[in-house]
């Protein structure tokens, strides 16, 4: 049992860093003869993809492809005045990250320097332009167009492919996942945004209970929504630009499908369809719309006239209607020369889907089905941002061109002058740092897109990188979007979600999921035609609606039809396995809607599976052996066509065996490892499958608050708040996930010997979670559960460290620093001055001279009384805006004390309730005494059986000298661990005979006793304890201030007030709410009922009826505020004895 | 079995943890007759002995005093001149404080006895000054830290005694930590740790660093009795349920040869056929003590010291009782 004292300080050799698998190469001696060892694919996958690869890949896609496409799409700016005057972008280039010290002084920068200097980690974007001034064409190269924040570890980042040594040189932690940005020194993550997939038909019931089909179209140019709904049995179309719903048949006729027969054929000519659709045809006839012209005229009357725009001549209403049909209705379908037949067919398909839904009385599609969701990642969000600001810039350039060339034709014109870098830089920086994506151009208004990367613990940072937020309204109390959807299996972690209002809306990716990036669809379309898809123009309605005909969609656009969908899908899949098309292309058949979908769009969540054919997995033991030896990598398995990615839709179309024993002839795929359905945070829990499910959820939240080592470089980081544990240990009962996410290298917790005792004394029973702790001893490490809290005080001073003296004049406020008071060892106490700063208050005349007066504005240390704090580091630097920055890192060591919060890895949190002397602790035959005592009443209601198993596993691990595994859906079996205990002479159940340290007599019960991994949470009494007798009051209401930092009072809230009213304690109520708060003596006139002043009623101009009374100042304030709004509150006064 | 003399180890709880018929009246004669100490083994800093014929209260008192009230010397003040190591000052000081020192605390006075004035009778001074450097001539790709650096690890042996006053005469051999190979902190070239350490006398009650024992504990002596003859296969299975050497099978019959060695895992209770065969109890007044010294004093000396402390406490209590009752 002494093994518990092993201290595993983390700085072991870093060689094993990436090569978990190579460690296993030692085991190669054991032949891998079955595919049991398929889990080995997992480390290889994570090595390749990592947990944040989706962010990095998305950003890379933006920098390498999207940004060029955006520039290409908006490359030419032609002057309205003279079409021969134009500016054309020929290329754009994103450089290496640099920092700007002055206007002409850029130097290469590392992320660490940006963090310390509060600057942005960004790379300049340069464009080459061609400028034509009435015939004279000139090229200008390398014009700075903006500075693009660079995602850490992306291809443009300096950390890209850096090895450990290079990382160390740059002051970076090699285990840091990357995938975030540094804006103004703070690390910002663009969270994954979940939204309904674009360009897909969703059939569901609307508010009135009627069936409706809607499509949110999104193309590079436009984003629109088209809805078909039912109104009194008629199919109606609803688009934003039309003032009211219009009959679907009229729209079809306006689009050129004028024959009723053809319409019916496309919708479906069976009896039921006709019955349902008949009234709509009739309605159209009643409106006397028979030809395309009539239809357009009808629609023309419904067009909502947009506000006047600049533009050429006004169009007729018919033209207006036609252009709406061409560009607004189903805008994702391309229209050439006003040939809208594809749109007609698409509308018919929508109607057909509605009829089908009505016919089977189903509720339509499930909005929450995960196949209908897309995740928007950093890359696409940045692309939107860039496109918006780029277009704004181009608009400005165009105005400039017009302006310059309207008067003189040949004025000197330098594009470098008008292409300014600031607007784009600032727009992007502002959006990322505030999280507000307000892009009017795309009608996008989103807040909270980004958030500050939490560095409380390594797990917190990691957890944030896999986080998904939903655009769904938080306040609405619907359970649908919040509940766990079966289709999320394997893609999202079922445990990791916050409690409270965002419960179920904020989710996390599972361990093996990956989010796709855009893949060019043009080759896919060609491929589909080659595989026998017939174009839409080649089929008539009869053929189209035939029951053997399947409609083929590529990324939501209708391509054509096929009669052999299975052949088509099989061919696409085989080509994918052969590597002929991208591995992330998915194809699936939807039998109920008779459609085939081929998808290559961005934002689909997918996950690798082993391919099974004829009941045999394609992965061979030989391949797994090669994998263990490092000959093969995960990518090779994809290339060999034995492992493939499935997205949610294709997953739904496959038969997947969880274990090998479940495979049968029809099985298409085999799961790689079942525990990968959990995410990184839930992966820390040992035996999670034995716990009550919400407990795992709680642990997911608490793991993020655990103190530990946050990164190898934590000594160099100057974060506002940073916690570290003195002696972090790796858990004795670990999981495969723990190994995979490097938790063992950056652990957050300690192994504590725990005993489950009902310690005597009735008073103690009351607290349900009590952890008395043994006092320090070298072998027991409870004092070493000490954490260190680093807190940084930072201040900025403009214009002191100015490199360009002239710039100083730009600042109106210039502060003087007398000096920084500290050097890094000083002990600090409350209110000590850290930086003796002064700011100018104004000027006074001294004779003829003006002299600036300074008032002190010192930065003071705010620590609790009796808190030992030391100055740890002082950083004096300058930001790129030439502000001097002083950061002072203060360190205070926290020995566990009464009230500090701890938790095991099973959602079992609690505060330390008693600290017991070593000699008072119970001890076993070997003299081992527990570090913690937990009340066993914490178990029955919480049902965390996993914790009991962890204890046995930990004990067996200590005795045998091996680590035990508590991996989800696996792990070391309990019986095996119990046998280990018996083999070492301990009780099978882990229960021991203990002797009381106080009486010296045996304890009556056998005590369940063994090591458990504990986390020290960041909540500590020292930072929380607070009391106030009298203190500061707020200026406006004269009530006590709020909050500990302002020495505030403790609020007697509504519920407490209700309680006092219920008890009838009126005097207590009066004392709490008025006397001790904001009692104020006023003079009031009993005649007019208004407040007077100093015994005088200004209203009555008399002092005759004035009396004194006491009321809350807030009340008096209310009266006066009402008066200012022309409302007169009058007091009706009566002497209290008069009743 | 008599509940007055034995604690029974039942299946799911301990029967009679306290003596149901405790005789609280103290009889010196009876104590003298019953009390016995049997030394079992002493091996360097570990000791095992039996204390027989006393109540748990007395045995426990000795154990408690060993842990928390026998004084030792430990480093109490660290004056840090330089610390550029990765550990913050407090943590470094804490680690150094926990290093056991090979010095007999009986030859020192406490600071309180001298009104907190330091002198050579109550304070020992040590120096710790280590700087890490690159080892010259090391190969470029060297990974062995010993070949690459000088002083890459601060060890307990780096703590050097600075004799003050007449300490040099009083202590013929140099005072040093018990173990030379306790790692304190790792250094890398350019880092340095330099400090003066003051060591004073104290007790484990104040801080665990003054505790003279790694642990001191006892267990009630196991007492295993076979209720009936056990033969054949059962005998071998029964043997397996106990610690090696507790039960021997002679001529096909199980026999308890050394119940003292048993770890009392109660394994036999899990087998329905074996459970009724054995009676597992512990002797109430027989304590097997284990004392592990941290190294300053031999464990047997520590126990004597502990008894001395107990004696002092008793006489102090007696004095006070007498003062109240007015008797001499």
């Amino acid at each position: 049992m002494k093994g518990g004292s092993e201290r595993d300080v983390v700085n072991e050799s870093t060689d094993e860093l990436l090569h978990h698998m190579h460690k296993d190469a030692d085991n190669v001696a054991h032949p891998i003869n079955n595919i049991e060892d398929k889990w080995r694919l997992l480390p290889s996958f994570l090595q390749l993809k990592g947990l944040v690869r989706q962010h990095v890949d998305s950003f890379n896609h933006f920098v390498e492809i999207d940004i060029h496409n955006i520039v290409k799409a908006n490359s030419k700016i032609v002057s309205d005045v003279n079409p021969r005057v134009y500016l054309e972008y020929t290329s754009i280039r994103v450089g290496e990250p640099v920092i700007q010290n002055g206007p002409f002084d850029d130097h290469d920068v590392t992320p660490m320097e940006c963090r310390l200097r509060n600057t942005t980690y960004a790379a300049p974007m340069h464009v080459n332009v061609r400028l034509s001034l009435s015939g004279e064409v000139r090229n200008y190269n390398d014009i700075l167009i903006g500075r693009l924040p660079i995602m850490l570890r992306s291809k443009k980042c300096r950390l890209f492919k850096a090895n450990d040594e290079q990382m160390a040189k740059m002051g970076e932690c090699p285990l840091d996942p990357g995938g975030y940005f540094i804006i103004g020194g703070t690390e910002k993550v663009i969270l994954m945004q979940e939204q309904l997939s674009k360009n897909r038909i969703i059939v569901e019931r609307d508010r009135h209970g009627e069936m409706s089909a809607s499509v949110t179209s999104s193309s590079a140019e436009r984003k629109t929504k088209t809805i078909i709904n039912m109104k009194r049995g008629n199919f109606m179309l609803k688009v934003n630009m039309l003032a009211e719903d219009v009959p679907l048949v009229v729209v079809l006729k306006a689009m050129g499908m004028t024959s009723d027969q053809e319409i019916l054929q496309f919708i479906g000519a069976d009896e039921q369809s006709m019955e349902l659709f008949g009234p709509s045809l009739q309605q159209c006839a009643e409106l006397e719309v028979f030809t395309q012209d009539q239809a357009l005229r009808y629609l023309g009357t419904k067009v909502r006239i947009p506000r006047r725009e600049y533009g050429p001549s006004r169009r007729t209403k018919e033209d207006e209607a036609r252009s709406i049909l061409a560009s607004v209705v189903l805008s994702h379908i391309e229209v050439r020369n006003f040939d809208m037949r594809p749109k007609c067919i698409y509308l018919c398909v929508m109607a057909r889907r509605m009829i089908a839904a009505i016919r089977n009385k189903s509720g339509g599609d499930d909005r929450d089905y995960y196949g209908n969701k897309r995740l928007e990642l950093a890359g696409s969000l940045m692309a939107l941002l860039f496109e918006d600001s780029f277009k704004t810039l181009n608009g400005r350039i165009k105005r400039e061109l017009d302006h310059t060339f309207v008067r003189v034709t040949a004025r000197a014109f330098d594009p470098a002058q008008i292409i300014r870098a600031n607007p784009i830089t600032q727009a992007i920086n502002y959006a990322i740092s505030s999280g507000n994506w307000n892009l009017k151009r795309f009608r996008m208004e989103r807040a909270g897109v980004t958030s500050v990367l939490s560095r409380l613990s390594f797990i917190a940072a990691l957890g944030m990188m896999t986080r998904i937020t939903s655009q769904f309204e938080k306040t609405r109390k619907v359970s649908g979007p919040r509940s766990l959807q079966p289709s999320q299996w394997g893609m999202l972690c079922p445990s990791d979600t916050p409690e409270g209002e965002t419960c179920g809306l904020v989710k996390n990716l599972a361990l093996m999921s990956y989010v796709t990036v855009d893949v060019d669809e043009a080759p896919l379309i060609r491929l589909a035609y080659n595989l026998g898809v017939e174009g839409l123009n080649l089929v008539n309605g009869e053929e189209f609606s035939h029951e053997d005909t399947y409609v083929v969609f590529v990324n939501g656009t209708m391509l054509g039809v096929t009669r052999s969908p299975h052949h088509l899908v099989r061919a696409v899949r085989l080509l994918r396995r052969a590597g002929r098309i991208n591995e992330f292309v998915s194809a699936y058949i939807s039998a109920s809607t008779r459609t085939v979908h081929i998808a290559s769009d961005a934002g689909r969540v997918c996950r690798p599976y082993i391919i099974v054919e004829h009941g045999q997995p394609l992965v061979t033991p030989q391949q797994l052996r090669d994998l263990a030896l490092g000959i093969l990598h995960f990518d090779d398995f994809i290339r060999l066509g034995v492992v493939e990615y499935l997205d949610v839709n294709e997953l739904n179309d496959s038969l997947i065996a969880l274990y090998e024993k479940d495979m049968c002839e029809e099985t298409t795929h085999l799961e790689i490892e079942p525990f990968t359905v959990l995410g990184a945070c839930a992966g820390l829990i040992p035996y999670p499958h034995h716990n009550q499910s919400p407990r795992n959820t709680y642990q997911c939240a608490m793991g993020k608050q655990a103190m530990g080592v946050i990164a190898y470089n934590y000594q160099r980081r100057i974060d506002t708040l940073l916690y570290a544990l003195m002696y972090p240990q790796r858990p004795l009962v670990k999981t495969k996930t723990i190994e995979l996410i490097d938790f063992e290298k950056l652990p957050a917790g300690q192994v504590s010997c725990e005993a489950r005792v009902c310690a005597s004394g009735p008073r103690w029973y009351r607290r349900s979670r009590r952890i008395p702790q043994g006092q320090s001893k070298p072998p027991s490490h409870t004092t070493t559960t000490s954490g260190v809290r680093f807190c940084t005080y930072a201040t900025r001073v403009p214009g002191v460290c100015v490199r360009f003296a002239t710039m100083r004049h730009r600042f109106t406020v210039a502060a003087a620093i007398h000096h920084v008071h500290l050097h890094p060892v000083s002990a600090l106490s409350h209110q000590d001055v850290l930086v003796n700063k002064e700011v100018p208050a104004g000027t006074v005349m001294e004779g003829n001279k003006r002299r600036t007066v300074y008032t002190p504005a010192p930065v003071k240390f705010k620590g609790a009384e009796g808190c030992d704090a030391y100055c740890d580091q002082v950083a004096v630097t300058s930001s790129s805006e030439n502000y001097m920055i002083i950061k002072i890192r203060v360190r205070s060591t926290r020995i566990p004390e009464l009230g500090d919060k701890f938790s095991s890895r099973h959602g079992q949190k609690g505060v330390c309730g008693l600290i017991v002397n070593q000699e008072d602790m119970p001890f076993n035959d070997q003299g081992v005494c527990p570090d913690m005592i937990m009340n066993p009443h914490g178990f029955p209601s919480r049902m965390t059986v996993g914790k009991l198993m962890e204890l046995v596993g930990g004990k067996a691990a200590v005795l045998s000298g091996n680590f035990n595994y508590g991996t989800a859906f696996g792990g070391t079996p309990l019986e095996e661990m119990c046998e280990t205990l018996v083999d070492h002479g301990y009780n099978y159940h882990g229960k021991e005979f203990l002797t009381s340290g106080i009486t010296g007599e045996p304890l009556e019960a056998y005590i369940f006793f063994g090591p458990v991994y504990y986390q020290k949470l960041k909540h500590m009494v020292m930072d929380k304890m607070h009391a106030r007798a009298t203190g500061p009051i707020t200026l406006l209401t004269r009530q006590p201030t709020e909050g500990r930092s302002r020495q505030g009072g403790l609020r007697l809230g509504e519920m407490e007030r209700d309680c006092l009213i219920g008890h009838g304690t009126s005097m207590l109520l009066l004392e709490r709410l008025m006397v001790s708060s904001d009692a104020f003596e006023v003079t009031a006139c009993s005649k007019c009922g208004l407040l007077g002043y100093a015994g005088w009623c200004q209203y009555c101009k008399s002092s005759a009826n004035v009396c004194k009374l006491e009321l809350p100042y807030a009340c008096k304030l209310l009266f006066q505020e009402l008066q200012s709004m022309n409302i007169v509150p009058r007091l009706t006064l009566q002497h209290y004895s008069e009743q | 079995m008599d509940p007055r003399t034995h604690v029974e180890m039942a299946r799911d709880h301990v029967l009679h943890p306290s003596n149901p018929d405790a005789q609280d009246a103290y009889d010196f004669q009876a104590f003298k007759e019953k009390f016995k100490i049997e030394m079992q083994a002493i091996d360097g800093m570990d000791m095992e002995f039996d204390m027989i014929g006393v109540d748990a209260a007395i045995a426990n008192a000795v154990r408690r005093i060993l842990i928390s009230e026998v004084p030792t010397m430990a480093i109490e003040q660290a004056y840090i001149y330089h610390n550029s190591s990765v550990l913050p000052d407090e943590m470094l000081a804490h680690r150094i404080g926990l290093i056991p020192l090979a010095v007999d605390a009986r030859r020192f006075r406490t600071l309180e006895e001298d009104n907190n004035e330091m002198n050579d009778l109550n304070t020992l001074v040590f120096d710790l000054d280590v700087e890490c450097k690159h080892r010259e001539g090391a190969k470029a790709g060297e990974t062995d830290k010993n070949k690459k650096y000088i002083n890459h690890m601060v060890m307990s042996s780096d703590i050097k005694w600075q004799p003050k006053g007449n300490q040099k005469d009083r202590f013929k051999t140099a005072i040093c930590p018990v173990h030379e190979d306790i790692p304190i902190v790792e250094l890398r070239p350019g880092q340095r740790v330099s400090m003066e350490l003051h060591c004073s006398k104290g007790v484990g009650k104040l801080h665990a660093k003054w505790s003279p024992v790694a642990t001191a504990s006892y267990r009630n002596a196991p007492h295993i009795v076979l209720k009936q003859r056990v033969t054949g296969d059962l005998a071998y299975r029964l043997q397996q349920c106990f610690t090696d050497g507790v039960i021997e099978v002679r001529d096909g019959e199980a026999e308890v040869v050394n119940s003292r060695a048993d770890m009392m895992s109660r394994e036999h209770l899990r087998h329905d056929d074996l459970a009724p065969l054995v009676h597992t109890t512990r002797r109430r007044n027989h304590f097997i003590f284990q004392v592990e010294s941290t190294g300053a004093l031999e464990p047997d000396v520590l126990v004597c010291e502990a008894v001395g402390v107990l004696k002092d406490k008793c006489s102090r209590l007696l004095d006070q009782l007498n003062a109240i009752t007015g008797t001499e």
Side-chain angles (χ1 to χ4, degrees), chain A residues 244-448:
Chain A
E244 58 184 75
D245 295 2
V246 291
L248 175 66
V249 182
V250 175
V251 174
L252 287 172
K253 291 196 170 172
M255 283 178 167
M257 197 181 261
T258 47
S259 149
D260 285 355
Q261 184 190 0
E262 194 181 9
I263 292 174
L264 258 188
Q265 278 177 335
F266 271 103
I267 283 173
D270 56 306
E271 205 166 309
Q272 255 178 316
S273 303
M274 286 206 283
E275 199 176 298
L276 274 165
F277 201 72
S280 304
L281 290 172
Q282 187 158 4
Q283 181 197 28
C284 181
E286 279 163 10
L287 291 169
E288 297 191 344
V289 174
F290 302 105
T291 64
Q292 187 170 11
D293 279 349
Q294 286 170 329
L296 282 172
R297 209 169 302 138
Y298 175 82
L299 292 181
T301 60
K302 309 290 180 193
V303 174
R304 184 179 285 164
I305 304 293
R307 60 188 159 77
R308 287 293 299 145
E309 283 175 16
Y310 287 112
S313 59
R314 275 194 66 178
R315 290 180 293 193
T316 60
K317 286 194 169 178
E318 286 82 356
D319 280 345
E320 206 79 60
R322 187 181 287 127
S323 84
I324 284 175
L325 293 182
S327 61
V328 179
V329 176
L330 300 176
S331 63
H332 67 287
I333 298 175
E334 212 179 334
V335 173
R336 286 208 189 93
N337 298 328
F338 292 99
D339 170 21
M340 293 187 269
R341 193 174 157 83
K343 281 194 181 180
C344 288
I345 300 176
Y346 201 97
L347 286 174
C348 291
V349 170
M350 286 170 74
R352 194 210 274 182
R353 292 272 308 273
M354 285 169 69
I355 291 169
I358 294 169
R359 194 185 296 166
N360 0 325
K361 297 200 171 63
S362 68
D365 297 329
D366 187 353
R367 233 168 217 282
D368 304 321
Y369 175 64
Y370 225 70
N372 293 332
K373 302 278 189 178
R374 293 292 178 271
L375 300 185
E376 217 169 3
L377 268 79
S380 49
L381 287 164
M382 290 280 275
L384 286 176
L385 207 57
F386 175 76
E387 190 175 349
D388 180 72
S389 47
F390 184 63
K391 282 180 172 166
T392 314
L393 178 77
N394 288 349
R396 190 176 303 150
I397 291 171
K398 186 174 174 179
R399 275 203 301 283
E400 198 99 2
L401 284 176
D402 290 351
H403 190 72
T404 317
F405 293 99
V406 75
R407 276 169 282 155
V408 220
T409 21
R411 220 173 73 184
F413 190 84
D414 183 9
Q417 293 283 310
I418 49 166
I419 301 180
R420 271 184 315 223
N422 266 351
I424 292 184
T425 313
Q426 275 165 9
I428 297 178
N429 285 356
Y430 169 76
I432 298 181
S433 60
S434 69
N436 296 329
W437 247 249
N438 290 337
L439 310 177
K440 293 224 175 63
R441 190 167 275 113
F442 305 110
R443 263 188 253 129
M444 184 172 174
E445 242 174 85
R446 250 188 247 168

Side-chain angles (χ1 to χ4, degrees), chain A residues 639-651:
Chain A
R639 225 162 283 143
L640 287 167
V642 294
V643 170
E644 66 179 347
Y645 291 97
L646 297 186
D647 72 357
V648 180
N649 284 315
E650 200 176 327
L651 196 69

Side-chain angles (χ1 to χ4, degrees), chain A residues 776-779 918-919, chain B residues 44-47 62-74 97-106 178-179 201-216 290-307 309:
Chain A
S776 72
K777 271 207 85 325
Q918 160 94 56
E919 65 270 19
Chain B
M45 291 302 155
D46 295 347
M47 178 171 80
V62 173
R63 184 192 69 88
R64 290 168 63 92
I65 289 167
L66 272 171
I67 290 172
S68 67
E69 283 177 276
V70 175
T72 51
M73 297 294 281
L98 291 175
I99 293 170
L101 302 170
V103 54
D104 188 346
R106 290 174 295 187
V178 176
H179 306 282
K201 188 174 170 179
V203 289
K205 223 192 261 180
L206 294 175
H207 193 284
K209 67 185 170 189
W210 279 302
S211 185
V213 289
T215 191
Q290 282 160 304
V291 180
E292 288 172 40
S293 164
T294 54
L297 291 174
E298 284 71 38
D300 49 342
V301 182
L302 282 177
V303 174
C304 295
E305 285 293 307
V307 172
V309 173

Side-chain angles (χ1 to χ4, degrees), chain A residues 715 726-727 776-777 891 893 919-920 923 925 927 982 985-988 991 997-998 1000-1002 1004 1006, chain B residues 9-10 13-14 17-18 60 63-64 68 86 90-91 95 208 213-214 217-218 263 265-267 270 282 290:
Chain A
Q715 307 254 10
M726 274 196 172
Y727 294 99
S776 72
K777 271 207 85 325
R891 148 172 53 90
T893 305
E919 65 270 19
D920 289 342
F923 53 95
D925 283 1
V982 173
Y986 284 81
N987 180 253
Y988 182 88
K991 289 176 153 195
I998 301 172
E1001 286 175 346
E1004 189 166 350
Y1006 296 123
Chain B
M9 306 277 282
H13 69 293
V14 179
S18 314
N60 195 32
R63 184 192 69 88
R64 290 168 63 92
S68 67
V86 292
E90 305 92 284
M91 191 173 166
R95 285 181 72 82
V213 289
S217 75
Y218 60 75
M263 288 176 75
S265 71
R266 314 187 295 286
E267 175 67 4
R270 290 210 308 128
R282 285 169 180 264
Q290 282 160 304

Side-chain angles (χ1 to χ4, degrees), chain A residues 67-118:
Chain A
I67 197 169
H68 298 286
N69 289 343
I70 293 168
V71 171
K72 212 175 279 170
N74 306 289
S75 64
K76 209 164 180 182
I77 309 163
V78 186
S79 163
D80 282 343
V81 180
N82 181 353
R84 288 170 69 194
V85 172
Y86 66 85
L87 184 144
E88 189 180 5
Y89 297 99
T90 49
S91 70
I92 183 160
R93 201 160 40 76
V94 180
E96 298 257 282
V98 292
I99 201 167
Q100 200 183 15
N101 283 324
F104 308 106
D105 182 13
D106 286 2
H107 79 94
D108 292 355
V109 71
T110 60
M112 201 58 194
E113 186 179 341
C114 290
R115 287 191 197 108
L116 294 177
R117 290 184 57 188
N118 289 2

Side-chain angles (χ1 to χ4, degrees), chain A residues 467-482:
Chain A
R467 190 159 306 163
I468 299 166
T469 59
S470 162
Q471 282 306 298
F472 197 79
E473 186 69 48
K474 268 186 246 174
T475 46
R476 276 173 62 188
K477 281 187 181 161
V478 276
S479 63
R482 294 173 187 269

